[in-house]
Coordinates of all heavy atoms in Angstrom, one line a residue:
Y1153 N 40.7 72.5 85.0 CA 41.5 71.4 84.6 C 41.2 70.2 85.5 O 41.4 70.3 86.7 CB 43.0 71.8 84.6 CG 43.2 72.9 83.6 CD1 43.3 74.3 84.0 CD2 43.4 72.6 82.3 CE1 43.5 75.3 83.1 CE2 43.6 73.6 81.3 CZ 43.7 75.0 81.8 OH 43.8 76.0 80.9
V1154 N 40.9 69.1 84.9 CA 40.5 67.9 85.7 C 41.6 67.4 86.5 O 41.4 67.0 87.7 CB 40.0 66.8 84.7 CG1 39.7 65.5 85.5 CG2 38.7 67.3 84.0
D1155 N 42.9 67.4 86.0 CA 44.0 66.8 86.8 C 44.3 67.6 88.0 O 45.1 67.2 88.8 CB 45.2 66.6 85.9 CG 45.7 67.9 85.3 OD1 45.2 69.0 85.5 OD2 46.8 67.8 84.6
K1156 N 43.8 68.8 88.1 CA 44.0 69.7 89.3 C 42.9 69.5 90.3 O 43.0 70.1 91.4 CB 44.2 71.1 88.9 CG 45.4 71.4 88.0 CD 45.5 72.9 87.7 CE 46.8 73.2 86.8 NZ 46.9 74.7 86.5
L1157 N 41.9 68.8 90.0 CA 40.8 68.6 90.9 C 41.1 67.5 91.9 O 41.9 66.6 91.7 CB 39.5 68.2 90.1 CG 38.9 69.3 89.3 CD1 37.7 68.8 88.5 CD2 38.5 70.5 90.1
S1158 N 40.4 67.5 93.0 CA 40.5 66.5 94.0 C 40.0 65.1 93.5 O 39.3 65.0 92.5 CB 39.7 66.8 95.2 OG 38.3 66.8 94.9
T1159 N 40.4 64.1 94.2 CA 40.0 62.7 93.8 C 38.4 62.6 93.8 O 37.8 62.0 93.0 CB 40.6 61.7 94.7 OG1 42.0 61.7 94.7 CG2 40.1 60.3 94.4
R1160 N 37.9 63.3 94.8 CA 36.4 63.3 95.0 C 35.7 63.9 93.7 O 34.8 63.3 93.1 CB 36.0 64.1 96.2 CG 34.5 64.4 96.3 CD 33.6 63.2 96.5 NE 32.2 63.5 96.7 CZ 31.6 63.7 97.8 NH1 32.3 63.7 99.0 NH2 30.3 63.9 97.9
N1161 N 36.2 65.1 93.3 CA 35.6 65.7 92.1 C 35.9 64.9 90.8 O 35.0 64.8 89.9 CB 36.1 67.1 92.0 CG 35.3 68.1 92.9 OD1 34.1 68.0 93.0 ND2 36.0 69.0 93.5
Q1162 N 37.0 64.3 90.7 CA 37.3 63.5 89.5 C 36.4 62.3 89.5 O 35.9 61.8 88.4 CB 38.8 63.0 89.5 CG 39.8 64.2 89.3 CD 41.2 63.7 89.2 OE1 41.5 62.6 88.7 NE2 42.1 64.6 89.5
R1163 N 36.1 61.7 90.7 CA 35.2 60.6 90.8 C 33.8 61.0 90.4 O 33.1 60.2 89.7 CB 35.2 60.0 92.2 CG 34.5 58.7 92.3 CD 34.8 58.1 93.7 NE 34.2 58.9 94.8 CZ 35.0 59.4 95.7 NH1 36.3 59.3 95.7 NH2 34.5 60.1 96.7
E1164 N 33.4 62.2 90.8 CA 32.1 62.7 90.4 C 32.0 62.9 88.9 O 30.9 62.7 88.3 CB 31.8 64.0 91.1 CG 31.7 63.9 92.7 CD 30.5 63.0 93.1 OE1 29.6 62.8 92.3 OE2 30.5 62.6 94.3
L1165 N 33.0 63.4 88.3 CA 33.0 63.5 86.8 C 32.9 62.2 86.1 O 32.2 62.1 85.1 CB 34.3 64.2 86.3 CG 34.4 65.7 86.7 CD1 35.8 66.2 86.3 CD2 33.4 66.5 85.9
D1166 N 33.5 61.1 86.7 CA 33.4 59.8 86.1 C 31.9 59.3 86.1 O 31.5 58.7 85.2 CB 34.2 58.8 87.0 CG 35.7 58.9 86.7 OD1 36.1 59.5 85.6 OD2 36.5 58.5 87.5
K1167 N 31.2 59.7 87.2 CA 29.7 59.4 87.2 C 29.0 60.0 86.0 O 28.0 59.4 85.6 CB 29.1 59.9 88.5 CG 29.5 59.2 89.8 CD 28.8 59.8 91.0 CE 29.3 59.2 92.3 NZ 28.6 59.9 93.4
L1168 N 29.4 61.1 85.6 CA 28.8 61.8 84.5 C 29.3 61.3 83.1 O 28.7 61.6 82.1 CB 29.1 63.3 84.5 CG 28.7 64.1 85.8 CD1 29.0 65.5 85.6 CD2 27.3 63.8 86.2
G1169 N 30.3 60.4 83.1 CA 30.8 59.9 81.9 C 31.8 60.9 81.2 O 32.0 60.8 80.0
F1170 N 32.2 61.9 81.9 CA 33.1 62.9 81.4 C 34.5 62.4 81.3 O 35.1 62.0 82.3 CB 33.0 64.2 82.1 CG 33.8 65.3 81.6 CD1 33.4 66.0 80.5 CD2 35.1 65.7 82.1 CE1 34.2 67.0 79.9 CE2 35.8 66.7 81.6 CZ 35.4 67.4 80.4
K1171 N 35.1 62.4 80.1 CA 36.5 61.9 80.0 C 37.5 63.0 79.5 O 38.7 62.7 79.2 CB 36.5 60.8 78.9 CG 35.6 59.6 79.3 CD 36.0 59.0 80.6 CE 35.1 57.8 80.9 NZ 35.4 57.2 82.3
G1172 N 37.0 64.3 79.4 CA 37.9 65.3 78.9 C 38.9 65.8 79.9 O 38.9 65.4 81.1
K1173 N 39.9 66.6 79.5 CA 40.9 67.1 80.3 C 40.6 68.4 81.0 O 41.2 68.8 82.0 CB 42.2 67.2 79.5 CG 42.8 65.9 79.0 CD 44.1 66.1 78.3 CE 44.7 64.8 77.9 NZ 46.0 65.0 77.2
Q1174 N 39.6 69.1 80.4 CA 39.1 70.3 81.0 C 37.7 70.6 80.6 O 37.2 70.0 79.6 CB 40.0 71.5 80.6 CG 39.9 71.8 79.1 CD 40.9 72.9 78.7 OE1 42.1 72.8 78.7 NE2 40.3 74.1 78.3
F1175 N 37.1 71.5 81.3 CA 35.7 72.0 80.9 C 35.5 73.4 81.4 O 36.2 73.9 82.3 CB 34.6 71.1 81.6 CG 34.7 71.0 83.1 CD1 34.1 71.9 83.9 CD2 35.5 70.0 83.7 CE1 34.2 71.9 85.3 CE2 35.6 69.9 85.1 CZ 34.9 70.9 85.9
P1176 N 34.6 74.2 80.7 CA 34.4 75.6 81.1 C 33.6 75.6 82.4 O 32.7 74.8 82.6 CB 33.7 76.1 79.9 CG 33.0 75.0 79.3 CD 33.9 73.8 79.5
F1177 N 33.9 76.6 83.2 CA 33.2 76.8 84.5 C 31.8 77.5 84.1 O 31.7 78.6 83.7 CB 33.9 77.7 85.4 CG 33.2 78.1 86.7 CD1 32.8 77.1 87.6 CD2 32.8 79.4 86.9 CE1 32.1 77.5 88.7 CE2 32.1 79.8 88.1 CZ 31.8 78.8 89.0
E1178 N 30.8 76.7 84.2 CA 29.4 77.1 83.9 C 28.5 76.4 85.0 O 28.1 75.3 84.8 CB 28.9 76.7 82.5 CG 29.8 77.4 81.4 CD 29.3 76.9 80.0 OE1 28.2 76.4 79.9 OE2 30.1 77.1 79.1
P1179 N 28.1 77.1 86.1 CA 27.3 76.5 87.1 C 26.0 75.9 86.7 O 25.5 75.0 87.4 CB 27.1 77.7 88.1 CG 28.3 78.6 87.9 CD 28.5 78.5 86.4
E1180 N 25.4 76.4 85.6 CA 24.1 75.9 85.2 C 24.2 74.8 84.1 O 23.2 74.3 83.7 CB 23.2 77.0 84.7 CG 22.7 77.9 85.8 CD 21.5 77.4 86.6 OE1 21.7 76.4 87.4 OE2 20.4 77.8 86.4
S1181 N 25.4 74.4 83.8 CA 25.6 73.3 82.8 C 25.4 72.0 83.5 O 25.3 71.9 84.8 CB 27.0 73.4 82.2 OG 28.0 73.1 83.2
Y1182 N 25.4 70.9 82.8 CA 25.3 69.6 83.4 C 26.4 69.3 84.4 O 26.1 68.9 85.5 CB 25.3 68.5 82.2 CG 25.1 67.1 82.7 CD1 24.1 66.7 83.6 CD2 25.9 66.1 82.1 CE1 23.9 65.4 84.0 CE2 25.7 64.7 82.4 CZ 24.7 64.4 83.4 OH 24.5 63.1 83.7
I1183 N 27.6 69.5 84.0 CA 28.7 69.3 84.9 C 28.7 70.3 86.0 O 28.9 70.0 87.2 CB 30.1 69.5 84.1 CG1 30.3 68.3 83.1 CG2 31.3 69.5 85.1 CD1 31.5 68.5 82.3
G1184 N 28.4 71.6 85.7 CA 28.4 72.6 86.7 C 27.3 72.4 87.8 O 27.6 72.6 89.0
N1185 N 26.1 72.0 87.4 CA 25.1 71.7 88.3 C 25.5 70.6 89.3 O 25.3 70.7 90.5 CB 23.8 71.3 87.6 CG 22.8 72.5 87.4 OD1 22.1 72.8 88.3 ND2 22.9 73.1 86.2
H1186 N 26.1 69.6 88.7 CA 26.5 68.5 89.6 C 27.6 68.9 90.6 O 27.5 68.7 91.8 CB 26.9 67.3 88.7 CG 27.2 66.1 89.5 ND1 26.3 65.5 90.4 CD2 28.4 65.3 89.7 CE1 26.8 64.4 91.0 NE2 28.1 64.3 90.6
L1187 N 28.7 69.4 90.0 CA 29.8 69.8 90.9 C 29.6 70.9 91.9 O 29.9 70.9 93.0 CB 31.1 70.1 90.1 CG 31.7 68.9 89.2 CD1 33.0 69.4 88.6 CD2 31.9 67.7 90.1
M1188 N 28.9 72.0 91.3 CA 28.8 73.2 92.1 C 27.5 73.2 93.0 O 27.5 74.0 94.0 CB 28.7 74.4 91.2 CG 29.9 74.5 90.2 SD 31.5 74.3 91.1 CE 31.5 75.7 92.2
K1189 N 26.6 72.3 92.8 CA 25.4 72.3 93.6 C 25.3 71.0 94.3 O 25.3 70.9 95.6 CB 24.1 72.6 92.8 CG 24.1 74.0 92.2 CD 22.9 74.2 91.3 CE 22.9 75.5 90.6 NZ 21.8 75.8 89.7
T1190 N 25.1 69.9 93.6 CA 24.9 68.6 94.2 C 26.1 68.1 95.0 O 25.9 67.7 96.2 CB 24.5 67.5 93.2 OG1 23.4 67.9 92.4 CG2 24.2 66.2 93.8
V1191 N 27.3 68.2 94.5 CA 28.4 67.8 95.2 C 28.7 68.7 96.4 O 29.1 68.2 97.5 CB 29.7 67.7 94.3 CG1 30.9 67.3 95.0 CG2 29.4 66.6 93.2
A1192 N 28.6 70.0 96.2 CA 28.8 70.9 97.3 C 27.8 70.6 98.4 O 28.2 70.6 99.6 CB 28.6 72.4 96.8
M1193 N 26.6 70.4 98.1 CA 25.6 70.1 99.1 C 25.9 68.8 99.8 O 25.9 68.7 101.0 CB 24.2 69.9 98.4 CG 23.1 69.4 99.3 SD 21.5 69.1 98.4 CE 22.0 67.7 97.4
N1194 N 26.2 67.7 99.0 CA 26.5 66.4 99.6 C 27.7 66.4 100.5 O 27.7 65.8 101.6 CB 26.7 65.4 98.5 CG 25.4 64.9 97.9 OD1 24.3 65.1 98.4 ND2 25.5 64.3 96.7
M1195 N 28.7 67.2 100.2 CA 29.9 67.3 101.0 C 29.5 68.0 102.4 O 30.0 67.6 103.4 CB 31.0 68.1 100.3 CG 31.7 67.3 99.2 SD 33.2 68.1 98.6 CE 32.6 69.6 97.9

């Protein structure tokens, strides 16, 4: 659920153009790769 995520992760979703309220946890998806790999690495 997007509204339960940190400001950082919500900002990262904005970069992807994602406007939904929720998304399925899939590490190899477009959203999953970004949040679970790139964002984790950058942090």
